[in-house]
């Protein structure tokens, strides 16, 4: 099993969904977790308490609006003072569906800022310290939409494609850093397909009337369109892959964009 004791992980968007599942997996391996996301005090306290219960020696919340580079800088400095991120998971993301010609400009700007530019800023801050320590893991949560496109998701698809490209550049620049014994410094993307999280709720809601309010039928219809396995992923499955990528064994897996999509991108 991967031992992450004495490691610190910053997981953006870790108060729910895929981010929380990744934080749980890393906490279970002994990592200290820097929690981040949009939540009230009660939810923040619940998440931090839960992560310590599943194995984190410490879990604390760090605020920061990822649309704002200055706040990202404050976030990364606060985590640095806390000990610095050995593991950086850029998971936070937003989405809005609309035809390209009707997509609000401010929505484009917000999605690109949170889903792409924020990862640039966090990696720029975190990677030098990873290099100094000889070990570092950056895991950027992209999407199948970082590999293929879909209609009505112009900013999301653009940002996720950009995130895959950005990750490859960072991986190449850091491929020879660190050493095998410590695990080196790697940068990878995970590209989930349909996953049971809140981000797909608007698409489910859009189709409920057509299926007489039958939520399961809507989900089956969405899966049938894209995902050959006809099965959605559970966030814990994404967490398990993220944990493995943090192992020293994964020292030579860098610059990859790994789909968990039931065959979606194999078509």
């Amino acid at each position: 099993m991967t031992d992450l004791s004495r490691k610190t992980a910053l997981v953006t968007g870790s108060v729910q969904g895929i981010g929380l599942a990744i934080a749980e997996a890393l906490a279970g391996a002994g990592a200290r977790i820097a929690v981040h996301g949009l939540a009230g005090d009660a939810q923040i306290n619940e998440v931090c308490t839960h992560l310590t219960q599943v194995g984190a020696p410490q879990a604390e919340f760090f605020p920061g609006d990822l649309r704002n580079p200055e706040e990202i800088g404050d976030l990364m400095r606060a985590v640095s003072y806390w000990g610095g991120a050995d593991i950086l998971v850029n998971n936070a993301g937003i989405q809005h569906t609309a035809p390209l010609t009707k997509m609000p400009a401010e929505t484009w700007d917000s999605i690109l800022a949170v889903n792409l530019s924020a990862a640039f800023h966090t990696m720029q801050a975190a990677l030098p310290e990873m290099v100094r320590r000889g070990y570092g893991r950056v895991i950027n949560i992209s999407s199948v939409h970082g590999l293929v496109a879909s209609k009505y998701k112009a900013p999301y698809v653009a940002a996720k494609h950009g995130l895959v490209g950005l990750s490859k550049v960072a991986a190449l620049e850091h491929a020879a850093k660190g050493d095998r014994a410590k695990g080196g410094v790697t940068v990878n993307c995970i590209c989930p397909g349909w996953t049971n999280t809140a981000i797909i709720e608007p698409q489910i809601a859009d189709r409920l009337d057509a299926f007489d309010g039958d939520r399961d039928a809507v989900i089956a219809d969405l899966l049938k369109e894209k995902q050959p396995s006809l099965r959605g992923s559970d966030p814990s499955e994404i967490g398990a892959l993220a944990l493995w990528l943090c192992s020293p064994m994964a020292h030579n897996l860098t610059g990859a964009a790994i789909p968990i999509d039931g065959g979606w991108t194999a078509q």
Side-chain angles (χ1 to χ4, degrees):
M1 293 180 62
T2 301
D3 179 9
L4 298 180
S5 56
R6 297 180 298 280
K7 296 285 193 292
T8 297
L10 167 61
V11 185
T12 67
S14 49
V15 293
Q16 63 180 353
I18 289 174
L20 177 56
I22 292 173
E24 289 172 336
L26 302 183
R32 184 169 66 156
I33 308 297
V35 177
H36 168 273
L38 298 175
D41 290 344
Q43 185 179 1
I44 289 168
N45 291 334
E46 181 181 347
V47 168
C48 290
T49 299
H50 170 66
L51 291 173
T52 58
Q53 290 173 341
V54 299
Q58 196 174 2
E60 290 190 16
F61 180 78
F62 292 80
D65 185 342
L66 298 185
R67 296 170 298 180
N68 185 325
E70 290 186 4
E71 290 198 31
I72 296 172
D74 291 341
L75 164 66
M76 298 308 294
R77 280 187 289 274
V79 174
S80 179
Y81 298 149
W82 201 50
D86 302 286
I87 298 160
L88 169 64
V89 182
N90 283 303
N91 165 76
I94 56 175
Q95 186 181 152
H96 178 75
T97 56
L100 186 149
T101 55
K102 296 182 179 179
M103 185 70 69
E106 60 271 20
T107 300
W108 168 273
D109 291 340
S110 292
I111 291 176
L112 267 289
V114 174
N115 294 13
L116 176 58
S117 296
F120 166 79
H121 293 299
T122 59
M123 287 195 293
Q124 191 174 59
L127 280 164
E129 183 63 16
M130 293 179 180
V131 170
R132 189 188 70 79
R133 294 176 178 178
Y135 169 90
R137 293 291 183 267
V138 178
I139 301 171
N140 291 324
I141 306 304
S142 182
S143 165
V144 289
H145 288 115
L147 304 172
V148 296
S150 291
K151 296 186 293 184
Y152 312 130
K153 299 178 182 178
Y156 189 80
V157 169
K160 294 302 188 179
H161 270 71
L163 186 58
V164 170
L166 174 64
S167 301
K168 289 180 178 181
V169 171
L172 290 173
E173 291 180 0
H174 294 83
K177 306 300 183 182
D179 58 44
R180 182 171 186 161
K182 290 183 178 179
V185 178
T186 68
V187 183
N188 291 290
C189 282
I190 297 177
C191 300
W194 287 114
T195 307
N196 303 319
T197 67
I199 201 169
I200 68 171
E201 290 302 320
Q203 294 171 77
I204 294 172
D206 286 343
R207 301 192 186 198
L208 277 174
D209 287 346
F211 288 86
D212 297 322
D214 187 337
R215 179 184 171 84
D216 289 340
V218 172
I219 293 172
D221 188 60
L222 288 167
L223 288 167
K224 182 175 64 176
E225 285 184 5
K226 301 285 188 179
Q227 199 142 308
S229 68
L230 303 180
R231 299 186 301 273
S233 296
D234 187 84
S236 64
E237 297 159 18
I238 316 300
L241 175 56
L243 175 60
W244 187 83
L245 288 172
C246 292
S247 167
M249 185 183 298
H251 69 99
N252 252 346
L253 205 171
T254 194
I258 307 169
I260 303 182
D261 64 0
W264 182 335
T265 55
Q267 299 176 97

